[in-house]
Amino acid sequence: MRKQWLLTLMGVLVGVLLSMASTVREAEGQAECPKLENRLLGLTQAANPEQYALLQGFYYEKEETTKGDSVMWVRLVIELHKADDSLPTGYALRFEGRYEHLVQLLSRVADLCALSNEVQVAYVRPPVGPLPDGSSQGK
């Protein structure tokens, strides 16, 4: 009985320590990337980014490089400060569409923090899925 109690206590302590480490890592990341949405920040810090992306419902692509490495791309929306702002340069971005100050694209996961810190970027977030407007009613 005492051994079981001790094992349970150790399990709880390990869980608390891991949670604290995760919170510290997230807080540090948020300080470095304040304009990056929390779930995208989590993707940059995940031990298994592909599994994390699946759990979060992100659209992503993996690409093999000539060196045999893989690069992970994720779909996101960059909110620019103004509608006439241009996208930051120096990044491999796969443009998908734009409406006023909102730009949807694919970006390398490794570039997310730096991209969000660009001066013309107000915020970087996942895209919002399509929402029914209720007007067509299937007609």
Side-chain angles (χ1 to χ4, degrees), residues 47-101:
N48 184 337
E50 191 171 354
Q51 182 180 19
Y52 183 91
L54 283 170
L55 290 172
Q56 294 298 322
F58 294 156
Y59 174 83
Y60 70 93
E61 297 177 5
K62 286 189 79 173
E63 177 181 274
E64 298 297 321
T65 68
T66 55
K67 297 179 182 178
D69 300 332
S70 66
V71 175
M72 187 170 169
W73 298 75
V74 65
R75 178 173 286 147
L76 54 88
V77 170
I78 295 178
E79 297 181 14
L80 300 169
H81 287 286
K82 297 181 291 191
D84 61 346
D85 279 344
S86 59
L87 284 171
T89 58
Y91 300 93
L93 303 173
R94 296 179 183 168
F95 178 82
E96 293 185 331
R98 181 174 185 151
Y99 178 74
E100 295 181 357
H101 70 288

